[in-house]
Amino acid sequence: MNKNINWVEIDRAALIGNVRAFRKLLETQAKFMPVIKSNAYGHGLPEAASILAGSKQVDWLGLNSLDEAIALRKRGVRKPLLLLGYVPLARLAEAARNDIRLTVYNRETVLALGKIKVQKKIRLHIKLETGTNRQGVDLAGAINLAGLIQKYPHLLLEGYSTHFANIEDTTDRSYPDGQKDRYLKMIARLEKLGHSAPVNHVACTAAALIFPDTHKNLARIGIGLYGLWPSRETMLAVRDRVPGFSLAPVLSWKTRVAQVKTVSSGSFVSYGCTYRTTRRTRLAVLPVGYYDGYDRKLSNTAHVLIKGKRAPIRGRVCMNLCLADITDIPGVKLEDEAVLLGKQGKEQISAEQLAQWIGTINYEVVTRINPLLPRIIVNK
Ligand SMILES: Cc1ncc(COP(=O)(O)O)c(C=O)c1O
């Protein structure tokens, strides 16, 4: 029995369906690496890993922090784990002990790794800077790092990678085309100098969907895995390029009614008195607030679903509570389920809708759901 006040549901079949859709789409030589960093984009790292780590269609798992990777090793996950984020110099030995692949872009990191005593080789991926100007090194830096790695017998240069800056938000392909070009030229030069690496990876979800030539031999798939589109532009481009390709959202976020009350016309609702009723109004008190990740900008803006109908949020979203207007939804009672994100009956509140209400992207909406909330895997 679900005894929670607000919780996240993960649809196992939807997640598995999305894995299948990407496996089918990716070129056969490309290994498939779901990106499950940041608590699996809010879906719950242990829950996502429990489904993905056992899947034959999943080859590697991509993470951001060492803590995420160690948590998976502790749960017995044996698949190759690649860190995309930064590992402090003081924790590199821990990464090596846990057989975690690292993305490197600092000489200091390689020098520190060089001093570590390990049985098994430490596998490294150099991040190439091709125009995102985030992590990564230019060609001279890459030659330098590759040369340094080769000096240490226990370090193995396993891969090169880069990350696109501008695929999602535009239909103009010139910037990613430039990045692809620079990447290929850098790899060609590195290979010529004897710094070959067996694994090449550049594709995120949007790249994998739009440019098959980015699949290389590993694809890093994040948002799409969770059934969310990187952007409307990507969705429209894919509709033309891959007819029949579809994704199913994996996450729903729910709560239950904590009190039903009626207030008279002209009553103020919640902090700051930002909403005043214009009729006798029935309110459902919902035990969810900005602490949980339900953004305060949803105040007086969002809807939730109760009894399959939309109930507008009235007044300010508080730290742990918010209020929904249920005047037009008869029969709502204590502990009825309210859907903050997801489907109920024929209605749906999507991550994109919530993102639009608060001026952000679906990535942020799901990722910022408080990691402490229970994640429940459901088999629909
Ligand atoms: C380096 C890197 N690769 C891949 C991804 C996955 O991107 P997406 O969620 O758009 O598939 C991310 C996401 O932030 C990333 O930072």
Side-chain angles (χ1 to χ4, degrees):
M1 187 187 172
N2 176 356
K3 297 178 184 170
N4 301 298
I5 54 172
N6 94 70
W7 66 95
V8 169
E9 290 182 2
I10 303 304
D11 181 342
R12 179 195 298 270
L15 183 57
I16 292 171
N18 298 333
V19 167
R20 282 205 194 106
F22 276 101
R23 186 56 274 174
K24 204 166 146 209
L25 173 107
L26 292 174
E27 308 274 307
T28 42
Q29 85 289 347
K31 289 195 188 314
F32 176 22
M33 182 172 81
V35 177
I36 54 171
K37 62 179 184 159
S38 310
N39 203 26
Y41 286 41
H43 291 61
L45 181 62
E47 292 75 13
S50 74
I51 298 170
L52 299 170
S55 164
K56 287 202 176 75
Q57 296 178 309
V58 167
D59 300 297
W60 294 26
L61 293 167
L63 300 145
N64 180 60
S65 76
L66 182 57
D67 290 325
E68 294 168 344
I70 289 178
L72 293 194
R73 286 287 185 245
K74 282 193 177 143
R75 298 181 73 86
V77 174
R78 301 266 52 97
K79 287 208 194 277
L81 303 181
L82 173 64
L83 287 197
L84 306 172
Y86 183 68
V87 179
L89 302 177
R91 295 194 67 190
L92 290 169
E94 242 179 293
R97 272 201 306 278
N98 285 281
D99 189 20
I100 291 159
R101 287 160 162 83
L102 302 175
T103 304
V104 292
Y105 40 91
N106 288 305
R107 205 175 152 78
E108 294 88 334
T109 300
V110 177
L111 286 170
L113 286 166
K115 291 188 192 137
I116 294 172
K117 302 261 172 296
V118 271
Q119 307 285 327
K120 210 170 169 188
K121 288 202 180 226
I122 308 173
R123 293 160 196 268
L124 304 177
H125 293 228
I126 296 180
K127 184 87 175 259
L128 300 180
E129 181 53 78
T130 57
T132 302
N133 291 317
R134 209 169 68 166
Q135 302 153 300
V137 287
D138 62 10
L139 180 60
I143 294 169
N144 190 298
L145 282 188
L148 193 58
I149 291 169
Q150 279 170 349
K151 282 194 185 153
Y152 298 98
H154 66 287
L155 302 186
L156 179 72
L157 175 56
E158 184 178 52
Y160 290 110
S161 68
T162 197
H163 192 50
F164 291 109
N166 195 23
I167 290 197
E168 289 86 2
D169 303 331
T170 174
T171 50
D172 178 354
R173 308 276 178 246
S174 54
Y175 203 79
D177 280 342
Q179 286 193 273
K180 279 194 283 177
D181 224 46
R182 283 190 284 283
Y183 184 78
L184 291 178
K185 285 189 180 130
M186 287 166 96
I187 296 291
R189 187 82 192 117
L190 285 156
E191 282 178 353
K192 208 162 174 197
L193 292 170
H195 301 308
S196 304
V199 187
N200 257 291
H201 49 108
V202 301
C204 56
T205 299
L209 290 169
I210 298 170
F211 300 118
D213 64 338
T214 62
H215 296 180
K216 310 290 180 203
N217 35 28
L218 182 72
R220 310 185 301 258
I221 307 298
I223 198 81
L225 179 79
Y226 308 102
L228 303 176
W229 289 91
S231 64
R232 180 177 287 271
E233 288 82 354
T234 310
M235 188 175 79
L236 295 175
V238 171
R239 198 183 286 170
D240 294 339
R241 205 186 76 72
V242 201
F245 182 87
S246 70
L247 295 171
V250 170
L251 180 151
S252 305
W253 185 9
K254 298 181 176 176
T255 186
R256 60 176 93 237
V257 174
Q259 188 184 359
V260 177
K261 64 169 57 171
T262 303
V263 297
S264 52
S265 181
S267 303
F268 290 109
V269 178
S270 192
Y271 285 134
C273 299
T274 60
Y275 183 80
R276 191 171 199 181
T277 58
T278 54
R279 57 177 173 163
R280 196 175 145 78
T281 297
R282 273 192 336 124
L283 295 169
V285 179
L286 301 177
V288 60
Y290 57 80
Y291 168 69
D292 303 292
Y294 200 67
D295 200 288
R296 193 164 173 273
K297 289 196 279 303
L298 294 167
S299 302
N300 287 313
T301 299
H303 296 159
V304 299
L305 305 178
I306 303 181
K307 291 194 166 297
K309 298 213 166 64
R310 284 178 175 254
I313 295 291
R314 301 297 193 206
R316 285 209 180 128
V317 172
C318 311
M319 191 182 291
N320 310 106
L321 295 163
C322 62
L323 300 130
D325 189 334
I326 49 166
T327 315
D328 298 322
I329 310 176
V332 176
K333 55 183 194 323
L334 187 68
E335 301 216 349
D336 274 353
E337 194 171 279
V339 172
L340 310 164
L341 197 180
K343 282 188 185 158
Q344 197 184 56
K346 293 191 176 122
E347 280 286 1
Q348 179 175 14
I349 310 278
S350 65
E352 291 72 25
Q353 172 69 87
L354 285 165
Q356 202 180 28
W357 278 327
I358 64 176
T360 186
I361 49 174
N362 51 8
Y363 288 71
E364 189 182 348
V365 167
V366 288
T367 304
R368 289 187 60 199
I369 300 174
N370 189 326
L372 296 176
L373 297 186
R375 268 66 178 171
I376 300 168
I377 297 174
V378 293
N379 298 301
K380 285 188 183 161

